[in-house]
Amino acid sequence: MKPAAFDYVRAGSVEETVSVLAEAAGDAKILAGGQSLVPMMALRLARPTVLVDINRIPDLDAVRRTDGAVEVGALVRHRDLTDQTEHPLLAEAARWIGHTAIRTRGTVAGSIAHADPAAELPVVALATGATATVIGPRGTRIVAADDLFVGPLMTTLADEDLVTAVRFPLPSRWGFAEFARRHGDFALVTAVTAELDDAVRIVLGGIGPVPRRATAAEAVLAAGGTAGDAADAAAQEIDPTGDLHGSAAFRRAIAAEMVRRALAGAGIGQGRA
Amino acid sequence: MNVTFTVNDESVRIDVEPRRTLADALRDNCDLTGTHLGCEHGVCGACTVLVDGEPVRACLMFAVQAEGCAITTVEGLQHDGALHPLQEAFVDHHGLQCGFCTPGMLLTAVHLLEHNPSPDRRTIREAMSGNICRCTGYQSIVDAVEAAAQRYPPGP
Ligand SMILES: Cc1cc2nc3c(=O)[nH]c(=O)nc-3n(C[C@H](O)[C@H](O)[C@H](O)COP(=O)(O)OP(=O)(O)OC[C@H]3O[C@@H](n4cnc5c(N)ncnc54)[C@H](O)[C@@H]3O)c2cc1C
Ligand code: FES
Ligand code: FES
């Protein structure tokens, strides 16, 4: 047995989850798909004394088309995303997450709350201007993806907060591109572009501690520049660090190429300006 | 904590600490040592079992989470002493050497063929990509799954 001992609570409702979390005052963790938390517990990087299993809470597994957006409940699995057709960008992004046996368990809300710098869904969340419904001891609030990610595995969510759903607006045009060493690996670089209300967002993942909007590249496009110009701008404005998976210069080059491909996929910036 | 589930259609009731993974519970409490443990953090795929028909890393699920679930392990694939078509195909096509990865490979492939009875090689590779083999080489594993697909569906 590798994880440290903990008390297990199989939560039957959102209310029960929130009250157990509040009572534990920071020593409890929510267990969703377990695909990130359990490895961290096995390595004893995480040692919660209470684990609140939310997998049996009813009605948290719906994918709902709402006005101009798709809302997914906290227990929607990556596999449910690949199987749905309401939000094609989400379906494409989810196909890049790990492997079948990871996607059957891992959840969308878990991925957002976990905030791995190389994860796909936080990049999509930022690119589409997604919002999370969060329930904490002081009630329900809506948190925008723009205000969520603060560092590697760090968000503005409190230990007592439960994400019950994430709402992803539907872009009129979108593109997704990723480079990973081996199929199913975490991304070296992910680029997502989404057009919403005529504004185009370009977001890069894997190149720093949090997913990052390439605002200079967005400005190039808004001024009528081509995808190539935007890609070059994106490569200049980011500040990737090198590690054993790739040098900083390599990541910069790959980032430019991924932005180019994402924009090509979206059909944005393709005409000669 | 007490937990009740079925393994290969047999009901079991065990008393485990919450921190015991499903993989450890299968091996140590149920004496089903066919489920292997390699990395114990979700990467190698050796511990893959079916939980309610879906492939799951048994090292990333706690046994207490399996309350009421139906689990299939490699021991559940043979029928009345006859090997499952996938197991036969792995033998025929040299899909294993040491056999360490094989249980996870088999259950991953069972799930694939149940959902897609005639996958092409690319689809097979994609589906099996989460399972690591240190000895056989993946060509013969893909060959085995491809051959078994032709003999399907006499399933488990
Ligand atoms: C081999 C392997 C490969 C992987 N590859 C990828 C990959 O390529 N890309 C990728 O993006 N991910 C990958 N993952 C991680 C996977 O996507 C996880 O499913 C995801 O990061 C976390 O979701 P989860 O539901 O499993 O969360 P858990 O592991 O259960 O929880 C993760 C964290 O989020 C918190 N949490 C969970 N749900 C909520 C909620 N509703 N509200 C508030 N907090 C919550 C937990 O308390 C915990 O801190 C991989 C995992 C493995 C094991
Ligand atoms: S032992 Fe579970 S995936 Fe390696
Ligand atoms: S047969 Fe030895 S690890 Fe695959």
Side-chain angles (χ1 to χ4, degrees), chain B residues 88-144:
Chain B
E88 278 177 2
F90 267 64
V91 173
D92 295 346
H93 294 268
H94 307 287
L96 69 153
Q97 283 186 48
C98 78
F100 190 84
C101 68
T102 313
M105 290 281 179
L106 286 168
L107 289 155
T108 303
V110 164
H111 176 261
L112 167 68
L113 296 188
E114 268 163 16
H115 290 262
N116 184 350
S118 46
D120 58 24
R121 287 183 74 85
R122 198 192 143 97
T123 308
I124 296 172
R125 278 184 177 279
E126 148 87 34
M128 308 297 291
S129 66
N131 294 68
I132 294 172
C133 176
R134 297 309 300 270
C135 18
T136 302
Y138 299 98
Q139 296 292 351
S140 45
I141 292 173
V142 176
D143 290 347

Side-chain angles (χ1 to χ4, degrees), chain A residues 6-32:
Chain A
F6 55 83
D7 290 329
Y8 173 80
V9 178
R10 187 181 295 129
S13 68
V14 167
E15 296 70 33
E16 184 186 357
T17 305
V18 173
S19 80
V20 174
L21 288 171
E23 208 165 297
D27 290 332
K29 278 242 163 242
I30 294 167
L31 176 64

Side-chain angles (χ1 to χ4, degrees), chain A residues 1-6 8 10 31 33-35 38-39 41-44 51 53 55-56 79 99-105 183, chain B residues 1 17-21 24 39-42 48 54-57 59-62 64-69 111 126-127 129-130:
Chain A
M1 276 179 294
K2 299 180 90 181
F6 55 83
Y8 173 80
R10 187 181 295 129
L31 176 64
Q35 303 301 294
V38 180
M41 290 174 66
L43 298 165
R44 300 216 175 181
L51 216 50
D53 183 354
N55 284 279
R56 304 289 172 111
R79 207 266 321 272
H99 311 281
T100 317
I102 308 299
R103 294 190 293 265
T104 54
R105 297 289 298 167
H183 179 84
Chain B
M1 250 182 114
E17 268 190 80
R19 61 171 160 163
R20 177 158 290 234
T21 62
D24 283 337
C39 65
E40 295 183 69
H41 54 255
T48 308
E54 300 289 347
V56 163
R57 302 292 206 226
C59 71
L60 297 187
M61 188 168 166
F62 295 109
V64 289
Q65 293 187 271
E67 176 65 37
C69 294
H111 176 261
E126 148 87 34
S129 66

Side-chain angles (χ1 to χ4, degrees), chain A residues 240-253:
Chain A
T241 46
D243 58 23
L244 81 163
H245 302 295
S247 67
F250 177 70
R251 277 175 200 257
R252 213 183 275 283

Side-chain angles (χ1 to χ4, degrees), chain B residues 66-83:
Chain B
E67 176 65 37
C69 294
I71 294 155
T72 307
T73 68
V74 68
E75 288 91 347
L77 292 185
Q78 56 89 26
H79 251 325
D80 301 329
L83 291 180

